Amino acid sequence: MTTTPVDRVDQSLIALRRILRATENYERDLAQSARLTPAQLRVLQIVEERGSVTPKALATQMGIRQASVTTLVDKLVARGMVERVPSKTDRRQTNVTVTDSGRAMVESAPDALQQRYVEAFEGLKDWEQAQLIASLERVATMLDAESIDASPVLTTGELHSEKRPR
């Protein structure tokens, strides 16, 4: 059986839709179980992993603006999951640290979609990783999305959305 160009177009659109649906489903599940956005969970994971981190370092690691990090941290502080503490080495700096409540949330949150992706991606051979990156970058270009500011957090919404999870 041969595949016609139209079949390939449909196959590619179906694959894109599956990726979008997986992302949306994960966001919904995370919102229902943990009342967090994927970006908030990622902040918690980074802070928990590093122990203490500056907002600037968070922004750099996540690939987003510092103002977005401030909004994310504000929401986590309000929920008692992280704290802002003065730096012990530089009085001008404030560090973000995880609370016991935040640590418990990281441990109980559903497996992050990007973690599953990372594990599968790291299992690929080097040439397969390079090919996949090239293909994904090509798709981003085809959708005029190469200049969109994005971080390594699989989410379909804004990272600092004011909407509350349902």
Side-chain angles (χ1 to χ4, degrees), residues 47 53 73 76-77 80-85 94-99:
V47 173
V53 63
V73 170
L76 293 170
V77 167
M81 295 190 188
V82 297
E83 296 175 319
R84 287 187 174 96
V85 296
T94 300
N95 291 344
V96 180
T97 61
V98 69
T99 64

Side-chain angles (χ1 to χ4, degrees), residues 4-108:
T4 65
V6 175
D7 291 338
R8 287 189 177 154
V9 168
D10 287 344
Q11 289 172 345
S12 69
L13 291 172
I14 289 168
L16 281 171
R17 183 65 184 141
R18 285 180 178 154
I19 293 167
L20 292 172
R21 292 284 311 274
T23 304
E24 291 165 356
N25 290 342
Y26 170 71
E27 285 183 35
R28 185 188 64 244
D29 293 347
L30 182 61
Q32 288 175 349
S33 67
R35 294 186 28 137
L36 290 173
T37 66
Q40 289 170 336
L41 177 59
R42 186 65 187 131
V43 168
L44 273 176
Q45 290 170 330
I46 292 168
V47 173
E48 200 265 341
E49 179 182 294
R50 294 179 65 177
S52 180
V53 63
T54 65
K56 182 177 181 179
L58 271 172
T60 300
Q61 184 167 348
M62 292 182 70
I64 60 176
R65 296 183 326 255
Q66 197 164 340
S68 298
V69 166
T70 298
T71 303
L72 290 166
V73 170
D74 285 346
K75 291 179 186 218
L76 293 170
V77 167
R79 292 192 53 199
M81 295 190 188
V82 297
E83 296 175 319
R84 287 187 174 96
V85 296
S87 170
K88 294 177 182 176
T89 58
D90 186 342
R91 292 189 329 226
R92 298 168 294 174
Q93 282 187 344
T94 300
N95 291 344
V96 180
T97 61
V98 69
T99 64
D100 290 340
S101 173
R103 194 171 288 106
M105 184 61 70
V106 168
E107 291 171 9
S108 68

